[in-house]
Amino acid sequence: MRPFEYLRVADAASAASAIGGVPGAQFLAGGSNLVDLMKEDIERPTRLVDIRQLPLRQIQRSRAGLSLGALATNTETANHPLVRENYPLLTQAIVAGASGQLRNMATNGGNLLQRTRCNYFYDTASPCNKREPGTGCGAREGLNKIHAVFGWSDACVATYPGDMANALYALDASVRVRATDGRERLVPIADLHRLPGDTPQHDTNLAHGDLIVAIELPVASAEFARHCHYLKVRDRSSYAFAMVSVAAALQLEGGTIRQARVVLGGVAHKPWRSAEAEAALVGQRADEAVFAKAAQAALSGARPLAHNGYKVELGQRSVVRALMRAAQWV
């Protein structure tokens, strides 16, 4: 562990003042990802700004729908009655992630910002453009079984590891962000994370010092509450990251699909929402044959690497299963 400065703040203005103008400064909330990365000598902050005392833990109704405080824990969010009743897909996704102990510590904002679990990223003896820009991508020509089949570049083939964000993409969430000058803006969740391109060291489109203060869920997405399912396929049944995951949500009317959401996890540098699959579903009967066509559409643009071609068929089967369970769930 390298030396660093630690500051605890009690309000957003103090947080902005403490982190602004200090290039190596980072916010600390639950620390369930950041502290591990510091121990592995991957993250090397010069200053940690502890924001756990900020009043950002409320989960409450808003004009738009439901507002989730950035510092509410994953456990608090998954178990909140307003989330369970109106956005059960989010509850399912959160519970599928990590362990109970970690969910008790991890915050909503921190969960969105967690970093990849690529083995080459964690191995400081291996080249990794995400960890050290310009050194190369060890996974590109190495063992890439767990890596991306969508959106990757020659600079990086890592995947986004989270579960909660997959559900938030399906639910058309937005993220409320406070800049260091005190101004707030609402960022559509689809614009928060980014593909690697030539700068894979940047996981999101946030600027240094930007603070996530809340996640906003729209009222309209509560229409998916009766027919949704989160499926996570992994090497073992608990405490493992997804090889492939699917957030599926349907709005049905007399057995016909009026709206659909299909988001895949474990396949790209960010949650991968499939407009192709959704277009193949809308206006169709909710049956397995239709779901199979949507699954083919969802994986049609995949570009597997040397060792992860299995993700194409696994992804198709997972999409079908998730949609079947979503259609049947009442």
Side-chain angles (χ1 to χ4, degrees):
M1 183 78 74
R2 296 173 183 262
F4 59 88
E5 185 181 9
Y6 172 84
L7 296 176
R8 178 177 290 177
V9 296
D11 56 69
S14 298
S17 176
I19 205 165
V22 183
Q26 293 193 42
F27 292 123
L28 173 68
S32 56
N33 187 204
L34 176 58
V35 174
D36 282 347
L37 292 171
M38 291 172 64
K39 290 179 179 178
E40 297 289 340
D41 200 30
I42 297 166
E43 292 283 3
R44 303 170 182 176
T46 58
R47 173 185 290 179
L48 289 183
V49 181
D50 189 334
I51 58 173
R52 286 175 290 184
Q53 302 302 312
L54 271 61
L56 300 176
R57 293 187 68 157
Q58 286 187 312
I59 298 175
Q60 57 190 355
R61 295 187 187 276
S62 65
R63 290 183 179 180
L66 187 65
S67 180
L68 312 174
L71 292 179
T73 67
N74 286 176
T75 296
E76 291 167 342
T77 303
N79 291 334
H80 197 283
L82 290 176
V83 176
R84 294 176 69 91
E85 178 181 354
N86 298 292
Y87 308 97
L89 182 65
L90 180 56
T91 294
Q92 294 175 39
I94 292 174
V95 171
S99 65
Q101 294 92 331
L102 284 173
R103 292 194 297 269
N104 288 341
M105 288 296 297
T107 64
N108 291 335
N111 188 296
L112 289 180
L113 301 179
Q114 64 182 296
R115 308 210 69 189
T116 185
R117 265 56 178 196
C118 170
N119 297 331
Y120 294 89
F121 175 71
Y122 272 82
D123 181 6
T124 55
S126 297
C128 175
N129 288 319
K130 181 177 285 294
R131 188 184 65 249
E132 295 185 55
T135 60
C137 175
R140 180 71 180 85
E141 299 298 335
L143 183 61
N144 42 49
K145 177 183 176 182
I146 66 171
H147 293 78
V149 296
F150 287 108
W152 54 266
S153 69
D154 287 340
C156 182
V157 297
T159 58
Y160 176 77
D163 292 291
M164 183 179 78
N166 298 328
L168 293 174
Y169 272 61
L171 295 169
D172 290 316
S174 296
V175 180
R176 188 169 297 281
V177 177
R178 187 183 194 276
T180 53
D181 63 5
R183 297 180 182 179
E184 291 191 1
R185 66 187 189 278
L186 205 58
V187 179
I189 188 74
D191 296 333
L192 178 66
H193 302 100
R194 61 187 300 281
L195 295 179
D198 295 327
T199 54
Q201 68 271 25
H202 300 303
D203 294 333
T204 73
N205 290 309
L206 298 181
H208 177 69
D210 279 352
L211 175 65
I212 295 177
V213 297
I215 299 167
E216 308 289 348
L217 292 168
V219 171
S221 291
E223 297 290 336
F224 295 112
R226 293 187 63 198
H227 296 286
C228 59
H229 186 74
Y230 190 78
L231 177 67
K232 184 175 182 177
V233 182
R234 42 194 164 181
D235 282 327
R236 59 184 188 272
S237 60
S238 66
Y239 197 43
F241 296 98
M243 295 183 289
V244 172
S245 58
V246 180
L250 301 170
Q251 183 183 355
L252 300 179
E253 185 178 313
T256 299
I257 302 167
R258 296 305 180 195
Q259 289 193 74
R261 299 288 186 272
V262 177
V263 179
L264 289 94
V267 299
H269 201 254
K270 60 185 288 186
W272 196 260
R273 182 168 167 181
S274 176
E276 297 83 359
E278 293 173 8
L281 290 167
V282 173
Q284 304 297 313
R285 298 290 297 176
D287 60 39
E288 188 169 0
V290 169
F291 296 158
K293 291 180 180 179
Q296 290 177 350
L299 276 297
S300 61
R303 293 190 299 146
L305 300 161
H307 306 112
N308 67 357
Y310 73 92
K311 285 195 176 189
V312 177
E313 183 176 356
L314 180 61
Q316 291 174 341
R317 291 175 179 266
S318 298
V319 169
V320 173
R321 179 174 293 185
L323 288 169
M324 289 291 289
R325 291 183 177 178
Q328 294 167 0
W329 187 49
V330 177

